[in-house]
Amino acid sequence: MGLEVVSPAMISFSLFLLLASTTQAQSNGVFDVTKYGAGKDITEALTTAWKSACASTKPSKVLIPSGTYWLRKVTLAGPCKAAIKLQVDGILKAPVDPNKLSGGHWVNFIYVDQFTLSGRGTFDGQGKNIRFDYITNALVRDITTLDSKNFHVNVLGCRNLTFQHFTVRAPGDSVNTDGIHIGRSTGIYIIDSKISTGDDCISVGDGTEELHITGVTCGPGHGISVGSLGKYPNEKPVSGIFVKNCTISDTTNGVRIKSWPALYGGVASNMHFEDIVMNNVQNPVIIDQGYCPWNQCSLKAPSKVKISDVSFKSIRGTSATPVVVRIACSSGFPCQKVKLANINLAYRGPGGPAKSQCSNVKPIISGIMSASGC
Ligand SMILES: *[C@@H]1O[C@H](CO)[C@@H](O)[C@H](O)[C@H]1NC(C)=O
Ligand SMILES: *[C@@H]1O[C@H](CO)[C@@H](O)[C@H](O)[C@H]1NC(C)=O
């Protein structure tokens, strides 16, 4: 009849085998992928190890030891029964052929609470990226990501997620390769990290609240950006952005807030940039409410995004262009409560000295202001 007859004895025998192999593969809560039959390609082994670790009622760790491995598209999902760590000491390489991955992303962590991703390893995206979706109470430490396409790391719907000693590297001429993009997330910390890329080092999308960026070095790239905002309907407010003690070098922008003209409304408030060193940055301090790349929009109507309670304090170093501060707010919704304090930015090229430009804003200026005009 073609039906397989499975006896209770066979079931218990295979259960026994399964338990035996699981017990062998893990010891003290460590699930080593190389014990799950990982060859050069660890996709299946990682998936199986993750599932076993995730089902563990005690804290567990999945280990990818030193070595170089191929990893195809993978989703590592929770919820898990207890805290879970993924320690990557090896180099993980994505498939070179972009057709092997639909949707662009490569490694997706989703719905995991109490998660730690750490190790001296590297995610070598070869044009693909890593996503963190709905991750809570988590830490990403020491890991490096290389050569992604589009955003390297995309953070969506996360709460209390820290990136520490995190490294992102892509060539300065790569297109749209934002280092870390954050959207609709609360309590994200990016600490002591190093980002060199072809687009924004860090970009902040709508619905981001309580974002703390400290001790980050950025460059090359397009700087640290809030926005662009106002391109889509129903964007959620951005609020509580704190960027402190960062060094930005050889980038097109330093610290920037940008919104599209015309189009849709939005709110961005309580954003503070302090203690930032600029080295040879083209637009060190910029609010641009007429952001309209590739002429994708009409500049005839002003932006509908309301920007308020913004401060730039102790911003020093060098600019690559004469306009070191440019605050171009919407004529429809002028910026409110913008503070500039101790701005000491030098420009030494043609067309100098350094100057500042402001429109639709009355900034409160205090301390040093090395560039007149606002
Ligand atoms: C945030 O997550 C960390 C784990 O990285 C945890 O130790 C800490 O207690 C969490 N904070 C809150 C307020 O839940
Ligand atoms: C500032 O950031 C650098 C890393 O760029 C770090 O080494 C230093 O400890 C930070 N200083 C403070 C006061 O946080």
Side-chain angles (χ1 to χ4, degrees):
M1 299 248 304
L3 279 179
E4 285 186 36
V5 180
V6 182
S7 72
M10 280 171 77
I11 292 176
S12 51
F13 181 64
S14 26
L15 257 177
F16 167 75
L17 278 183
L18 184 70
L19 284 175
S21 69
T22 307
T23 326
Q24 251 179 14
Q26 72 116 336
S27 62
N28 297 325
V30 179
F31 297 76
D32 181 338
V33 293
T34 57
K35 307 238 163 79
Y36 284 81
K40 272 274 149 215
D41 183 325
I42 56 162
T43 315
E44 264 85 47
L46 175 59
T47 309
T48 315
W50 175 272
K51 277 189 183 145
S52 310
C54 188
S56 163
T57 49
K58 292 198 206 96
S60 61
K61 174 159 95 180
V62 174
L63 175 67
I64 302 176
S66 309
T68 301
Y69 311 91
W70 292 104
L71 178 63
R72 283 170 283 128
K73 182 176 174 124
V74 70
T75 297
L76 300 174
C80 297
K81 294 223 165 81
I84 183 165
K85 286 186 180 162
L86 173 59
Q87 183 177 329
V88 180
D89 289 331
I91 297 168
L92 305 181
K93 283 179 170 286
V96 182
D97 179 0
N99 297 324
K100 292 242 165 85
L101 295 179
S102 53
H105 74 261
W106 169 37
V107 182
N108 188 186
F109 299 99
I110 182 163
Y111 298 120
V112 192
D113 182 39
Q114 298 183 70
F115 174 51
T116 305
L117 171 62
S118 65
R120 48 177 194 278
T122 297
F123 288 78
D124 183 353
Q126 319 224 46
K128 292 98 183 173
N129 65 8
I130 304 178
R131 294 190 63 98
F132 294 89
D133 295 328
Y134 311 102
I135 299 295
T136 50
N137 304 312
L139 175 63
V140 177
R141 205 179 53 205
D142 303 331
I143 295 289
T144 297
T145 94
L146 283 187
D147 293 342
S148 157
K149 191 190 238 159
N150 300 320
F151 301 158
H152 275 259
V153 174
N154 198 59
V155 172
L156 178 77
C158 294
R159 188 166 39 77
N160 185 21
L161 166 61
T162 299
F163 292 87
Q164 193 177 18
H165 295 139
F166 185 67
T167 305
V168 174
R169 234 168 32 229
D173 58 2
S174 51
V175 178
N176 228 355
T177 50
D178 290 18
I180 303 179
H181 177 77
I182 299 151
R184 310 222 165 181
S185 294
T186 302
I188 307 298
Y189 300 79
I190 303 174
I191 304 169
D192 298 338
S193 294
K194 215 169 164 325
I195 303 174
S196 359
T197 185
D199 205 306
D200 295 338
C201 287
I202 298 170
S203 59
V204 180
D206 80 291
T208 301
E209 292 183 17
E210 289 301 316
L211 166 65
H212 297 258
I213 299 171
T214 48
V216 167
T217 64
C218 158
H222 295 183
I224 297 174
S225 255
V226 175
S228 51
L229 300 172
K231 191 180 183 189
Y232 302 101
N234 307 316
E235 288 184 354
K236 299 215 160 39
V238 169
S239 103
I241 310 296
F242 305 89
V243 180
K244 232 180 142 172
N245 183 31
C246 292
T247 302
I248 303 180
S249 307
D250 305 310
T251 54
T252 52
N253 303 286
V255 286
R256 167 165 68 158
I257 300 168
K258 56 181 173 176
S259 75
W260 292 72
L263 302 177
Y264 301 99
V267 174
S269 62
N270 191 16
M271 298 177 282
H272 306 282
F273 305 86
E274 187 174 353
D275 225 344
I276 315 280
V277 176
M278 305 280 179
N279 298 310
N280 190 40
V281 170
Q282 289 175 31
N283 301 291
V285 173
I286 175 165
I287 296 181
D288 178 7
Q289 291 211 264
Y291 180 72
C292 182
W294 314 290
N295 293 320
Q296 280 182 14
C297 53
S298 157
L299 276 163
K300 287 194 189 115
S303 176
K304 294 174 188 156
V305 175
K306 293 177 190 162
I307 294 175
S308 66
D309 197 4
V310 183
S311 67
F312 299 97
K313 283 186 192 162
S314 296
I315 315 278
R316 59 194 189 277
T318 58
S319 173
T321 67
V323 180
V324 303
V325 173
R326 190 164 92 86
I327 303 187
C329 296
S330 165
S331 59
F333 298 95
C335 299
Q336 307 292 326
K337 284 178 74 184
V338 174
K339 286 185 186 154
L340 293 166
N342 294 320
I343 308 292
N344 196 357
L345 291 164
Y347 169 70
R348 295 196 184 87
K355 49 182 159 285
S356 54
Q357 290 175 351
C358 287
S359 52
N360 304 308
V361 59
K362 291 195 185 83
I364 300 158
I365 299 175
S366 61
I368 301 164
M369 181 58 187
S370 66
S372 63
C374 276

